[in-house]
Amino acid sequence: MTQAIRPPKCKRCRAKAQVYLRQHNSAFCRGCFIFYFQRQAERAIAHEHMFGRDEVVLVAVSGGKDSLALWDVLIESGYQTVGMHLELGIAEYSLSSTRKTVAFAEARGQKLIRVDLGAENADVPTLAGLTRRPACAACGTAKRHHFDRVADEGGYAVLATGHNLDDEAARLLGNVMRWQQGYLAKQQPVLQPTHERFVRKVKPFYRLSEYETAVYAFLRGIDYVVEECPNSAGASQLVYKDVLNRLEAAMPGTKLTFFQEFLRTAQPLFQNAEASPPGTCQRCAMPAFGDRCSYCTLLVEVDRRRQQAESRGSGTTNPDV
Ligand code: SF4
Ligand code: ZN
């Protein structure tokens, strides 16, 4: 006699489940999953003392599922938020990211600060091309600089990013593979400022997986940019994510245990490895190790290359001229 397989029921209301979370061995219907997801984020915010309801949170929004889901959760949970979006100038990917971010903000009546890298000085392809840096290195430097700058100039107390558990576990694996003690010291869900022009940086999704975030974005009808940045192909972060996904498939819960236990047991051991606090950039007055911050170092090199090109009368931005 064959036994009928019963469809899984929602852990919370016993209705027919639509989402199954292997790592928690539990299932939820649509409404209860949204409730669960928002509550997990709120618990992380409260547990880690990320911010309170009296503070305005600057949310870094790329237009991808994680950052838009984070903004959505914070709005739904009644926090005061302002979005900030960097226009990177990476062809159609950036145009699409900006369109989705602007549409999201307008639909919810939220303030969005936009910074156009190309109009400011140089977009990511120009920064990378003229300085001969990998695109992601130039992009990361520009992002850190402008997020810190806007948070500081706007007087925001806290900057929130949509990094999820998969991001944090992959970053941890990368840091462990190279035993980068300084990075391990800084890998925390809440990073307190180490300079008067830094603000607190928080990651409310650090315990929520990429899968959970994608399901939340889908169930909430969030229209996010689906295509990956063309520069992400071959990134080591993707290799670490792939390895962790295979471990997770064989042993559900591996990513959560890996990262949570690092925070609980190992992370405090690296506190002494933290670099001494930064000084101040003599060009832009933002935090810097040395006379110049990394972003100004890039911009000075960009200016030099442009001047070289101009003095040769070519007018081209090709660094090889
Ligand atoms: Fe920037 Fe690299 Fe991310 Fe593209 S993949 S957005 S270039 S950091
Ligand atoms: Zn600077």
Side-chain angles (χ1 to χ4, degrees):
M1 196 173 98
T2 54
Q3 241 181 345
I5 300 170
R6 289 208 198 128
K9 291 204 166 134
C10 172
K11 179 184 170 182
R12 199 162 156 259
C13 74
R14 311 306 298 160
K16 189 175 163 214
Q18 284 180 297
V19 186
Y20 181 53
L21 304 178
R22 270 187 86 201
Q23 77 272 32
H24 299 303
N25 195 24
S26 51
F28 293 100
C29 68
R30 179 186 179 281
C32 289
F33 176 79
I34 290 172
F35 175 86
Y36 150 84
F37 188 90
Q38 292 175 345
R39 198 176 56 173
Q40 287 294 312
E42 283 184 48
R43 279 185 178 167
I45 292 165
H47 185 259
E48 299 293 332
H49 308 289
M50 292 185 180
F51 46 83
R53 291 179 193 281
D54 54 336
E55 293 176 300
V56 182
V57 184
L58 185 67
V59 188
V61 195
S62 67
K65 69 178 184 319
D66 302 304
S67 56
L68 288 181
L70 173 62
W71 203 4
D72 183 81
V73 166
L74 297 184
I75 295 166
E76 289 295 306
S77 304
Y79 289 101
Q80 305 176 62
T81 62
V82 169
M84 185 198 156
H85 175 71
L86 259 189
E87 295 172 46
L88 303 173
I90 307 174
E92 183 50 38
Y93 166 74
S94 286
L95 295 176
S96 175
S97 304
T98 301
R99 273 198 301 272
K100 307 267 182 194
T101 305
V102 170
F104 180 98
E106 283 177 358
R108 289 157 181 82
Q110 296 289 310
K111 179 177 172 183
L112 175 69
I113 299 170
R114 290 166 61 176
V115 176
D116 181 347
L117 274 189
E120 285 271 320
N121 192 306
D123 59 17
V124 168
T126 308
L127 276 176
L130 289 180
T131 64
R132 297 174 178 166
R133 303 269 205 302
C136 292
C139 181
T141 299
K143 280 180 181 167
R144 280 188 292 277
H145 173 84
H146 286 288
F147 286 133
D148 287 335
R149 180 184 63 75
V150 170
D152 171 63
E153 289 174 3
Y156 299 101
V158 58
L159 172 67
T161 56
H163 293 99
N164 59 41
L165 173 64
D166 292 52
D167 299 324
E168 292 303 303
R171 189 173 151 210
L172 175 59
L173 184 57
N175 288 339
V176 166
M177 294 302 280
R178 292 187 293 276
W179 288 115
Q180 288 175 303
Q181 298 189 36
Y183 291 160
L184 288 165
K186 288 204 298 187
Q187 197 171 355
Q188 302 167 42
V190 179
L191 205 55
Q192 296 296 345
T194 52
H195 185 281
E196 60 181 10
R197 296 200 66 185
F198 272 152
V199 304
R200 195 183 328 137
K201 291 175 188 154
V202 300
K203 299 171 183 172
F205 284 179
Y206 79 98
R207 285 193 300 211
L208 287 160
S209 70
E210 196 157 314
Y211 173 73
E212 289 169 294
T213 313
V215 171
Y216 178 82
F218 173 74
L219 293 180
R220 290 280 302 155
I222 295 172
D223 184 19
Y224 60 86
V225 63
V226 177
E227 59 266 35
E228 298 284 342
C229 171
N231 296 321
S232 66
S236 51
Q237 176 93 341
L238 295 184
V239 178
Y240 294 130
K241 279 191 174 178
D242 182 48
V243 168
L244 286 163
N245 282 340
R246 280 189 258 164
L247 287 171
E248 183 76 25
M251 296 172 283
T254 297
K255 288 179 206 170
L256 193 57
T257 307
F258 179 49
F259 190 57
Q260 281 203 157
E261 284 307 299
F262 161 71
L263 289 179
R264 197 176 68 82
T265 61
Q267 209 276 339
L269 303 176
F270 292 99
Q271 287 306 308
N272 292 337
E274 207 159 356
S276 45
T280 298
C281 174
Q282 292 181 0
R283 189 172 176 274
C284 73
M286 288 300 290
F289 293 98
D291 290 347
R292 238 181 236 156
C293 72
S294 329
Y295 187 59
C296 285
T297 304
L298 280 183
L299 293 188
V300 167
E301 207 174 323
V302 164
D303 286 346
R304 191 168 55 82
R305 294 279 181 182
R306 280 176 172 157
Q307 278 165 16
Q308 278 176 356
E310 267 171 33
S311 66
R312 285 171 196 170
S314 69
T316 175
T317 52
N318 184 343
D320 293 324
V321 293

